[in-house]
C-alpha cells in the first residue's frame, strides 16, 4: 500500500560498505515508508545479503560512506541488539543453529528485550508460552519445535518458519526478509507468505529479498528494485518483477557494461 | 644429569619431605609424563596435615539394598579393585591409602537405588582424603552423586573404587565446585564385568587445581561405558583430566565426550587414553574432546592417546578447540539480546550437553557452577 504521506521508516542514502577491505555496496539509495512492501531482486552475489547484514549491524561489514536513517534517526551508530529492540528485523537467508540453547528460551529472551524497549512488562515463562502458542499459528508450526535447540536439526523450511515466528513475536516496524522463500516447497511457501501478509500492516514495512517471482505471486510488492554489483540499478512497480521473470537478467549485464562496471 | 637447583630445592623443602614421608613416594613432578601439564605446586605447597574435622558420612542413611561393609574387611577389597584397574601405584591412590581417611565401603544389591554424598573441605587448610568402595552385585543399579565443595585453602582427595558385576549399572555423577585456593584430586576407578554399564558424568569449576582421573577397565570387554565431562577454568586455574579406558576382552563400547572452557589465564588439560589390546576385538569406542577458548591468555592442551592393537575395531576420536562462534553471537544480538547475555546463553548452551546429563541431585549445582564461572569472568 503506497501512501505518499505515510511516515518514512527507513531511508538509505548513498550507502557504501565493504567486507575484509573488499567494497561490496557501491552506493545504495532506498526509501521505505510505513505500509509499503518492497522487493529487492538480483542475481547471486549482487550484494543483497550484504545490504541486509549492514542494516542489521553485522560487525564483519564496514560502512565506508552514506547514511541510514530509521524513523529519521541514525541507525548505523547503534549496536545490532539496539536496532532489533527499536523494531528492525532481519530474517536470515541462513538461520544459525545454536546447539544447547532452547528455542523457547531464546524466543522469550528476545521477545522480552523488544517489550522492554516498548515499555511493556516482561513475560514470565507461563505468559510467554501462551503468547508463543498463539503466534505459532501464524506459521502453522508444530509446538515441538519450541522444545528443541535453536534451529538445530531443523529442515530448511522449518528454519524459515522459525524466522517468521520470531518476526511474529517481535512485531518489527521494518522487516527485512532475506530469501525467506529459498528452500521452501510450495506448501511451506504458501504458509510463510501467508504469515508475512498477515503481519503486514499500515504501520510497518517489509523488504523482501528474493530472486524468484514465485514469492511475489503470493506477496504483492508495492516497489521492486533490481540490484546488481552493489547498486540498485532500476526501481519500479510489480511489473518490473514480471519483466525480469520474462526476460531474465541479461539486460542487467548490458546496463552494467554500458555503465562500465563489469 | 645434574638436577637444577630449583628442582632440588623443591624436592628437599620441608613440605615436600613431609609429603614424601606421608605418602611413601615423592611428590609427582612435571618431569613425569603423566604430570607433564599439571604442576603439583597447585596443592603441594599445602602442609600435608590430615583432616581434623568430623569424619564425613558416619550418619549416612543408606537406601534399601545398599549395605555398609566392615572397614577392616573392605581394605583388601579396595586394594583388589585398584589392582584390577592397574592404578594401585598411582600417586593419588597411594596418598589416600596412606592418609587412612574416611572409608565408605558399600555393597549394592538393589535393583534401583540412589545415594548422594556431600564432601565440603571448606577452607580447612588440611588434606581431606576419602575412599569409597562400591561393589555392585549382578543386576544391581545405583545412582550415586558426589558433591564436592571447597571455599578456601584445602586439598580434597577422593578415591572411588567400584566393581560392577554382570548386568549391573552404575550412574556416577561428580560435581565439584571449588575455590582458587583449593585443590581437588579425584581418582575414579571402575572395573566392569561384561554386560555391566557405567555412566560417569563429571563437572568441575572454580578450583585452583583440579585433577580428575577416571580409570575404567572392562575386565572381559562386553560392557558399556559412557563418559561425560565438563571442566571450566579461569583466572590462574588449572584443570586436568587424565582418563583411561581399557578393554581387556571383546565387544566392549565406549562413548566419551570431554568438554572444557578456558578463560582468563586458565589452563585446561585433557589426556584421554583408550587401550584396545589384541583380546579386545570388535570394540566400539568413540572419544570426542571439545574445548572453548574464551581468552587469548588461556591455554588448552588436549591429547587423545589411542593404543589400538586389535584389528577388528571401531575407534573414532576427534578434538576441536574453538571460540564463541561470531555468527551465533550475531544471530542472538540481531534479536535484541545484549552481547554479554548472548555470550552467556551460548556458553550455557555449550555446557548443556554435559550438564543436562547430571542427575536431579546435582542439578541444583548447575547455577553454582555457572556462578563461579561468571564471578571469575566478570
Ligand atoms: N563475509 C564475507 N566475506 C567475504 N566476502 C563476502 C562476505 N559477504 C559477502 N561477500 C561477497 O560479497 C558479494 C555479495 O554477496 P551477497 O551480499 O551475499 O550477495 P547476494 O545476497 O546478493 O547473493 C559476493 O561477491 C560475496 O562473495
Ligand atoms: Mg544472499
Amino acid at each position: 500500500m503506497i501512501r505518499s504521506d505515510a511516515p518514512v521508516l527507513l531511508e538509505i542514502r548513498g550507502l557504501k560498505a565493504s567486507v575484509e577491505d573488499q567494497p561490496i555496496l557501491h552506493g545504495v539509495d532506498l526509501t521505505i515508508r510505513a505500509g509499503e512492501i518492497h522487493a529487492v531482486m538480483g542475481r547471486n552475489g549482487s550484494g543483497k545479503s550484504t545490504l541486509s547484514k549492514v542494516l542489521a549491524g553485522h560487525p564483519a561489514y564496514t560502512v565506508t560512506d552514506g547514511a541510514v536513517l530509521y524513523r529519521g534517526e541514525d541507525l548505523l551508530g547503534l549496536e545490532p541488539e539496539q536496532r532489533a529492540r527499536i523494531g528492525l528485523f532481519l530474517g536470515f537467508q541462513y538461520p544459525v543453529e545454536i546447539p544447547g540453547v532452547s528455542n523457547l528460551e531464546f524466543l522469550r529472551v528476545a521477545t522480552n528485550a523488544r517489550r522492554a524497549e516498548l515499555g511493556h512488562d516482561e513475560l514470565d515463562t507461563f505468559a510467554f508460552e501462551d503468547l508463543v502458542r498463539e503466534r505459532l499459528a501464524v506459521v502453522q508450526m508444530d509446538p515441538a519445535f519450541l522444545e528443541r535447540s535453536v534451529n538445530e536439526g531443523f529442515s530448511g523450511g522449518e528454519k524459515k518458519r522459525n524466522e517468521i515466528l520470531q518476526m511474529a513475536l517481535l512485531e518489527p516496524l521494518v522487516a527485512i526478509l532475506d530469501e525467506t522463500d529459498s528452500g521452501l516447497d510450495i506448501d511451506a511457501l504458501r504458509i510463510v507468505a501467508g504469515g508475512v501478509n498477515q503481519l503486514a500492516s499500515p504501520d510497518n514495512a517489509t523488504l523482501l529479498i528474493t530472486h524468484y517471482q514465485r514469492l511475489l505471486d503470493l506477496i504483492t510488492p508495492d516497489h521492486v528494485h533490481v540490484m546488481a554489483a552493489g547498486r540498485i540499478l532500476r526501481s519500479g512497480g510489480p511489473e518490473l518483477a514480471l519483466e525480469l521473470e520474462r526476460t531474465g537478467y541479461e539486460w542487467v549485464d548490458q546496463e552494467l557494461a554500458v555503465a562500465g562496471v563489469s | 644429569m645434574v638436577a637444577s637447583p630449583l628442582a632440588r630445592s623443591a624436592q628437599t623443602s620441608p613440605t615436600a619431605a613431609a609429603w614424601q614421608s606421608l605418602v611413601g613416594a615423592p611428590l609427582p613432578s612435571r618431569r613425569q609424563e603423566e604430570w607433564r601439564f599439571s604442576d603439583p605446586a597447585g596443592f603441594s605447597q599445602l602442609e600435608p596435615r590430615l583432616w581434623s574435622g568430623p569424619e564425613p558420612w558416619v550418619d549416612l542413611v543408606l537406601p534399601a539394598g545398599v549395605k555398609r561393609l566392615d572397614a577392616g574387611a573392605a581394605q583388601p577389597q579396595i586394594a583388589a579393585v585398584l589392582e584390577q584397574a592397574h592404578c594401585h601405584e598411582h600417586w593419588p591412590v597411594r596418598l589416600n591409602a596412606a592418609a587412612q581417611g574416611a572409608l565408605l565401603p558399600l555393597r549394592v544389591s538393589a535393583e534401583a537405588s540412589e545415594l548422594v554424598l556431600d564432601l565440603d573441605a571448606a577452607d580447612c587448610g588440611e588434606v581431606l582424603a576419602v575412599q569409597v568402595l562400591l561393589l555392585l552385585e549382578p543386576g544391581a543399579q545405583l545412582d550415586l552423586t558426589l558433591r564436592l565443595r571447597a571455599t578456601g585453602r584445602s586439598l580434597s582427595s577422593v578415591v572411588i573404587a567400584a566393581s560392577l558385576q554382570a548386568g549391573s549399572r552404575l550412574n556416577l555423577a561428580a560435581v565439584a565446585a571449588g575455590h582458587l585456593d583449593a585443590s581437588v584430586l579425584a581418582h575414579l576407578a571402575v572395573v566392569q564385568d561384561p554386560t555391566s554399564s557405567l555412566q560417569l558424568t563429571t563437572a568441575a569449576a572454580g578450583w585452583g587445581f583440579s585433577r580428575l582421573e577416571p580409570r575404567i577397565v572392562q575386565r572381559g570387554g562386553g560392557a558399556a561405558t559412557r563418559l561425560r565431562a565438563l571442566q571450566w577454568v579461569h583466572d590462574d586455574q588449572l584443570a586436568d583430566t587424565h582418563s583411561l579406558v581399557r578393554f581387556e576382552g571383546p565387544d566392549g563400547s565406549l562413548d566419551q565426550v570431554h568438554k572444557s572452557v578456558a578463560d582468563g589465564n586458565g589452563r585446561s588439560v585433557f589426556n584421554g587414553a583408550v587401550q584396545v589390546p589384541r583380546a579386545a576385538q570388535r570394540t566400539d569406542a568413540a572419544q570426542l574432546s571439545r574445548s572453548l577458548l574464551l581468552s587469548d591468555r588461556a591455554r588448552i592442551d588436549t591429547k587423545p592417546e589411542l593404543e589400538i592393537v586389535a584389528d577388528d575395531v571401531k575407534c573414532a576420536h576427534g578434538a576441536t578447540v574453538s571460540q564463541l562462534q561470531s555468527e551465533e553471537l550475531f544471530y542472538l544480538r540481531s534479536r535484541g539480546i545484549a552481547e554479554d547475555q548472548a555470550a552467556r546463553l551460548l556458553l550455557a548452551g555449550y555446557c548443556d550437553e554435559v550438564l543436562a546429563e547430571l542427575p536431579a541431585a546435582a542439578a541444583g549445582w548447575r547455577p553454582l557452577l555457572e556462578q563461579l564461572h561468571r564471578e571469575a569472568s566478570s
Side-chain angles (χ1 to χ4, degrees):
Chain A
M1 181 193 4
I2 306 177
R3 279 185 302 137
S4 56
D5 60 338
V8 172
L9 293 182
L10 192 71
E11 187 174 353
I12 305 171
R13 289 193 209 140
L15 184 65
K16 298 186 180 175
S18 42
V19 59
E20 289 164 8
D21 294 329
Q22 175 82 29
I24 308 285
L25 299 183
H26 297 280
V28 174
D29 293 279
L30 188 60
T31 299
I32 299 178
R33 291 175 186 272
E36 295 178 346
I37 295 178
H38 289 243
V40 170
M41 306 183 75
R43 277 200 172 133
N44 270 335
S46 57
K48 305 182 299 294
S49 291
T50 301
L51 175 63
S52 72
K53 294 270 173 73
V54 169
L55 293 175
H58 194 297
Y61 299 83
T62 314
V63 173
T64 52
D65 200 9
V68 179
L69 301 182
Y70 177 83
R71 302 171 86 190
E73 310 224 359
D74 171 54
L75 179 74
L76 299 176
L78 303 179
E79 296 293 322
E81 51 267 42
Q82 193 52 27
R83 300 182 195 196
R85 289 175 194 163
I86 60 176
L88 185 82
F89 179 84
L90 169 60
F92 281 58
Q93 180 173 4
Y94 303 108
V96 180
E97 299 196 11
I98 310 183
V101 175
S102 122
N103 200 27
L104 184 64
E105 181 64 5
F106 159 66
L107 295 170
R108 192 176 74 87
V109 173
T111 303
N112 278 330
R114 172 90 173 113
R115 288 178 65 87
E117 181 70 30
L118 294 171
H120 300 158
D121 290 343
E122 183 170 317
L123 296 176
D124 64 23
T125 35
F126 299 107
F128 181 70
E129 283 210 28
D130 292 343
L131 176 68
V132 80
R133 269 162 213 283
E134 175 203 313
R135 298 295 151 92
L136 278 173
V138 173
V139 282
Q140 302 178 27
M141 204 162 119
D142 185 339
F145 287 102
L146 299 173
E147 307 304 327
R148 313 232 316 237
S149 293
V150 178
N151 293 325
E152 193 186 28
F154 288 26
S155 73
E158 288 154 359
K159 284 180 181 164
K160 297 299 172 78
R161 287 197 210 191
N162 204 29
E163 294 293 289
I164 304 302
L165 173 62
Q166 291 166 47
M167 177 177 161
L169 286 164
L170 298 176
E171 302 181 9
L173 291 180
V174 175
I176 305 162
L177 303 178
D178 191 358
E179 305 220 13
T180 297
D181 51 338
S182 63
L184 297 186
D185 61 31
I186 190 67
D187 291 330
L189 183 67
R190 281 220 177 81
I191 291 166
V192 163
V196 173
N197 282 326
Q198 210 177 317
L199 296 170
S201 83
D203 299 321
N204 62 28
T206 310
L207 177 61
L208 299 170
I209 294 176
T210 181
H211 47 219
Y212 298 113
Q213 172 62 31
R214 59 174 205 160
L215 179 68
L216 305 182
D217 289 337
L218 300 170
I219 307 173
T220 313
D222 302 300
H223 299 276
V224 174
H225 313 274
V226 179
M227 201 162 171
R231 302 180 169 73
I232 288 178
L233 205 60
R234 204 192 274 187
S235 297
E239 72 288 346
L240 180 54
L242 292 167
E243 185 192 326
L244 267 178
E245 173 90 340
R246 262 196 330 273
T247 61
Y249 284 94
E250 304 279 288
W251 63 270
V252 170
D253 298 333
Q254 285 161 18
E255 274 190 36
L256 285 177
V258 170
V261 174
S262 67
Chain B
M1 196 177 78
V2 181
S4 74
L6 200 69
R8 199 178 318 119
S9 74
Q11 286 304 312
T12 54
S13 77
T15 310
W19 277 100
Q20 169 146 10
S21 91
L22 170 68
V23 181
L27 278 165
S29 125
R30 296 191 57 184
R31 280 166 296 170
Q32 289 161 267
E33 183 59 28
E34 281 272 286
W35 292 83
R36 191 151 71 91
F37 294 112
S38 23
D39 192 346
F43 63 88
S44 61
Q45 282 153 10
L46 191 74
E47 285 294 326
R49 264 186 296 123
L50 297 178
W51 174 252
S52 56
E55 188 179 332
W57 311 329
V58 271
D59 301 324
L60 196 66
V61 180
L62 296 172
V66 179
K67 229 182 76 197
R68 192 170 188 140
L69 302 176
D70 171 68
Q75 273 308 349
Q77 282 175 297
I78 288 202
V81 173
L82 294 170
E83 209 166 316
Q84 285 164 6
H86 317 288
C87 57
H88 49 294
E89 290 296 330
H90 263 54
W91 196 86
V93 172
R94 292 186 65 161
L95 165 65
N96 277 38
Q100 298 195 337
L103 170 62
L104 181 67
L106 302 174
R107 179 181 298 284
V108 183
S109 55
E111 274 174 25
S113 54
E114 224 187 298
L115 193 59
V116 177
L117 299 178
D118 283 309
L119 196 70
D120 188 351
D123 54 354
C124 63
E126 299 172 330
V127 178
L128 175 53
V130 296
Q131 296 186 88
V132 180
L133 172 68
L134 302 170
L135 299 174
L136 272 71
E137 295 187 338
Q141 297 190 356
L142 175 66
D143 288 355
L144 178 67
T145 304
L146 180 65
R147 305 190 295 199
L148 303 173
R149 186 89 178 95
T151 48
R153 226 170 126 72
S154 59
L155 168 64
S156 307
S157 181
V158 178
V159 169
I160 293 185
S163 164
L164 275 53
Q165 293 191 38
S168 66
R169 184 185 62 75
L170 175 62
N171 184 4
L172 177 59
V175 284
H179 182 275
L180 191 56
D181 296 329
S183 302
V184 63
L185 295 171
H187 188 90
L188 312 169
V190 183
V191 176
Q192 294 188 253
D193 283 353
T195 70
S196 68
S197 89
L198 167 71
Q199 156 114 17
L200 172 61
T201 313
T202 57
W207 303 85
F209 176 96
S210 74
R211 178 157 168 128
L212 263 57
E213 302 182 341
R215 193 172 181 92
I216 318 313
V217 173
Q218 293 195 6
R219 277 210 296 175
T225 306
R226 181 178 165 86
L227 308 179
R228 289 291 180 276
L230 172 69
Q231 62 194 26
W232 246 328
V233 287
H234 39 72
D235 298 341
D236 286 314
Q237 300 174 344
L238 168 86
D240 179 352
T241 294
H242 262 70
S243 70
L244 180 145
V245 182
R246 180 176 169 82
F247 298 88
E248 298 188 335
D251 301 306
S253 72
L254 166 68
D255 171 6
Q256 178 174 24
V257 175
H258 187 274
K259 285 192 148 184
S260 54
V261 179
D263 203 348
N265 252 332
R267 179 149 195 204
S268 171
V269 180
F270 171 65
N271 190 101
V274 178
Q275 299 178 349
V276 188
R278 187 161 313 281
Q281 296 297 348
R282 297 179 303 282
T283 294
D284 185 352
Q287 178 191 76
L288 183 64
S289 151
R290 293 187 61 196
S291 306
L292 197 56
L293 196 56
L294 296 182
S295 129
D296 46 13
R297 288 171 296 125
R299 173 155 182 187
I300 287 170
D301 293 284
T302 174
K303 180 169 161 223
E305 211 176 83
L306 309 183
E307 295 168 33
I308 300 161
V309 182
D311 43 24
D312 180 18
V313 295
K314 273 197 279 185
C315 286
H317 75 95
T320 62
V321 178
S322 59
Q323 295 173 318
L324 278 186
Q325 297 296 309
S326 55
E327 290 308 310
E328 296 179 3
L329 262 179
F330 177 66
Y331 189 69
L332 296 179
R333 295 178 72 194
S334 79
R335 297 303 181 242
I337 301 171
E339 191 170 8
D340 57 343
Q341 193 182 7
R344 274 206 303 279
L345 272 174
L346 291 181
L347 196 56
Y350 176 84
C351 297
D352 190 69
E353 188 184 351
V354 172
L355 297 182
E357 300 213 13
L358 288 174
W365 277 51
R366 213 170 139 157
L368 176 61
L369 295 168
E370 279 164 13
Q371 182 199 334
L372 284 171
H373 182 75
R374 255 204 310 280
E375 278 169 5
S377 48
S378 62

